[in-house]
Amino acid sequence: MAIPQVKLHPEGPTVSQLIFGTWRLANSNGFEADSSLATPESVLERIEACLELGITTFDLADIYGGRRRWPVIGYAYEELFGKALALNPELRKKMQLITKTGIKIPNEMWSEKVYVNHYDTSYDYVRSQVERSLRLLGTDHLDVVLIHRLDYLLDADETAKVMTDLRNEGKVKYWGVSNHTYTQVELLQSRLDFPLVTNQIEFSPSCLTGMDDGTLDQCQRLRMSPMCWSPLGGGSLFKKDVSNDPKTERLQKALRKVANDFGNDTTLDQAAYSFLLRHPSKPVIVLGTNKIDRLKGAAAIYDKKMNLDRQQFYLIWEASKGHSVP
Ligand SMILES: NC(=O)c1ccc[n+]([C@@H]2O[C@H](COP(=O)([O-])OP(=O)(O)OC[C@H]3O[C@@H](n4cnc5c(N)ncnc54)[C@H](OP(=O)(O)O)[C@@H]3O)[C@@H](O)[C@H]2O)c1
């Protein structure tokens, strides 16, 4: 069964329900580069495998590319992804590209001295970074751009202006946010004549914050599908030694039980993805694996018809919280 194509928002783009994430595009731990993953050919192989599976949407960010550790200090993966696409430019027509901007960290590419990690959602910065993304990815438009983090100095009028201008110029088809509180979504939305189409948040069996702080309620209210990042807790769900980590131990047990309900060959990651998809805000999932077999495993949840019932959902919820519902 094919991976569903879904609307992120009634007035938004159609994306694949499973999305390929690129934070680890050339590394598996989020930081240090792995030379076997760092070539355009290797990236192209993963892009082609995704498209074959029906994963047509790719999640990028201007800042991705290793962080804070020499020799790669951010901002490298859009270029790598763009070089992979340049090997087969026809593929661009078959995919949706989502990128993010708004985080600024020290890097030699800046013309001025940047000495502290900070957020920047000013008109000039957002415009120049979006234009950089277009250039590096070799495309004339981005399907969705997200404001990456909640900028404490957000001037909603100024940021809305650059978002509107870039949309009117056809460079960005749709806008969304990431890691925003529901009040910041409302603030930014109040200055826009078009809807924000998503809030990309951390949501996994080990991180249920969005269910408690109003973020997912807002997504449901606005019919804006959340994008779930680190859906497997960044891989922590597979920790081998859980003797000092009772939460992960509980989660592994609950996920194993739910997985077994769908057959003994069902894996923990399949149970975790199905848990997220059970939420009524209609999430889409940003996958973090670089392994083609694991991408295939994720796609297989649709063949297995893994629609969790309420008890299966709450078993995982209980394991995450460490207590039953009151
Ligand atoms: N908006 C934001 O602020 C934000 C923040 C973080 C991430 N993101 C987005 O979300 C995407 C996904 O995040 P993530 O990479 O943290 O996702 P994740 O799926 O939670 O974690 C991926 C990690 O888990 C490992 N893994 C996957 N399946 C496994 C298994 N069965 N057994 C053992 N290890 C396994 C992967 O290694 P292998 O590659 O070896 O499978 C990889 O190291 C990112 O690429 C990025 O696009 C966004």
Side-chain angles (χ1 to χ4, degrees), residues 23-24 28 59 178-179 200 230 232 234 289-291 294:
W23 180 42
R24 304 173 197 264
S28 54
D59 181 71
S178 178
N179 304 302
Q200 183 175 132
S230 289
L232 305 175
T289 184
N290 274 310
K291 304 232 159 55
R294 289 180 178 160

Side-chain angles (χ1 to χ4, degrees), residues 285-299:
I285 297 178
V286 191
L287 305 170
T289 184
N290 274 310
K291 304 232 159 55
I292 291 172
D293 279 351
R294 289 180 178 160
L295 294 170
K296 287 182 183 162

Side-chain angles (χ1 to χ4, degrees), residues 75-87:
Y75 305 102
Y77 288 171
E78 283 187 330
E79 185 175 10
L80 177 59
F81 195 93
K83 282 183 178 165
L85 267 186
L87 297 173

Side-chain angles (χ1 to χ4, degrees), residues 20-25 27-30 37 59-60 64 100 103 146 148-149 178-179 200-201 204 228-236 238 267 269 273 286-291 294:
F20 182 80
T22 62
W23 180 42
R24 304 173 197 264
L25 193 62
N27 60 66
S28 54
N29 64 11
L37 295 172
D59 181 71
L60 303 123
Y64 289 170
K100 318 181 194 77
I103 304 178
L146 312 179
H148 203 151
R149 291 264 172 190
S178 178
N179 304 302
Q200 183 175 132
I201 60 164
S204 71
C228 315
W229 63 258
S230 289
L232 305 175
S236 65
F238 306 100
T267 55
D269 44 340
Y273 297 141
V286 191
L287 305 170
T289 184
N290 274 310
K291 304 232 159 55
R294 289 180 178 160

Side-chain angles (χ1 to χ4, degrees), residues 35-56:
S35 55
S36 70
L37 295 172
T39 64
E41 289 76 13
S42 156
V43 174
L44 182 64
E45 195 186 334
R46 278 167 276 160
I47 293 174
E48 287 175 339
C50 282
L51 292 174
E52 209 161 296
L53 286 167
I55 300 172
T56 61

